Amino acid sequence: ITTQGDLLYRDGSGLQRLGAGTATQLLQTGGAGANPSWVNAPSGVVKKIEEYTNNTRTTLSASSSKVNIFTGNFTTTTANSKIWIQAFVPAWGTEAGSINMGLSWNGTDYNGRVTYSYSSSNDTYMQIGQMVQNNSGTAGTHAWALFYDSYSSSSSKPHAVVNPNNSDDSRIQQDVTSIIFTEFKN
């Protein structure tokens, strides 16, 4: 043993020196009959968690085409990872019609990924949705959007307001739309 950080171990014929590993490496045993070695520390399963929020009270317009409610970009850290997306959209008021709510990822719409429930009364609602996306072969930025699409010639909308506050109903505080991205090592 000649250098600080060296370890002494016994192999099949006698005592041996194992030089210090590099920073953050861990000592690994190969079990009985094998020599110890240095290995890189595991990088973990969850690579990144990021939440985007929006508390702007927004009146929804009736439309016969797709309307983005909340948009942004998420940057992945690892190639070939998986991204779990969870969306929570508070809304108020009732509307009629055939409404689809969904998530868009890199310009591709995934319909029906956020639920919509019709009721005939003005109440506060929480649309909840989720999906898993495969990241491409490289880390990078991905555009996302929460949207509704009436799929109807009557130009419907899911609710009157997203992120309602006490001006909609005196019993509620300012609500917040939230979308959470969790990136996992594949």
Side-chain angles (χ1 to χ4, degrees), residues 1-184:
I1 297 181
T2 59
T3 307
Q4 181 178 357
D6 285 355
L7 296 176
L8 186 63
Y9 72 95
R10 180 172 178 82
D11 70 2
S13 60
L15 295 177
Q16 300 296 326
R17 170 189 173 265
L18 177 63
T22 60
T24 72
Q25 283 191 314
L26 304 174
L27 186 62
Q28 175 178 289
T29 178
N35 297 328
S37 62
W38 295 106
V39 295
N40 292 328
S43 58
V45 174
V46 175
K47 303 302 290 179
K48 181 178 182 180
I49 299 174
E50 199 163 288
E51 178 184 29
Y52 299 85
T53 60
N54 180 343
N55 66 354
T56 302
R57 181 189 179 279
T58 304
T59 302
L60 298 182
S61 298
S63 174
S64 60
S65 60
K66 176 183 160 190
V67 176
N68 288 334
I69 297 171
F70 187 27
T71 63
N73 293 298
F74 175 72
T75 302
T76 56
T77 63
T78 305
N80 301 314
S81 58
K82 294 202 179 287
I83 300 93
W84 179 26
I85 306 168
Q86 300 168 285
F88 308 91
V89 184
W92 180 87
T94 183
E95 295 292 332
S98 175
I99 309 297
N100 174 68
M101 294 191 73
L103 293 165
S104 180
W105 181 256
N106 290 328
T108 300
D109 293 344
Y110 296 89
N111 297 315
R113 295 296 183 151
V114 180
T115 62
Y116 164 65
S117 177
Y118 171 74
S119 174
S120 60
S121 61
N122 281 333
D123 290 317
T124 301
Y125 299 87
M126 178 67 76
Q127 284 78 237
I128 299 172
Q130 65 179 350
M131 65 191 255
V132 174
Q133 282 294 322
N134 292 316
N135 188 22
S136 61
T138 59
T141 300
H142 304 274
W144 57 265
L146 293 168
F147 68 88
Y148 79 86
D149 191 337
S150 76
Y151 282 119
S152 170
S153 60
S154 63
S155 299
S156 302
K157 59 184 175 180
H159 298 289
V161 174
V162 171
N163 299 326
N165 60 29
N166 61 7
S167 68
D168 301 302
D169 185 325
S170 62
R171 300 169 294 177
I172 61 175
Q173 297 297 313
Q174 177 65 62
D175 281 328
V176 177
T177 295
S178 172
I179 185 165
I180 302 168
F181 296 85
T182 306
E183 182 181 9
F184 294 92

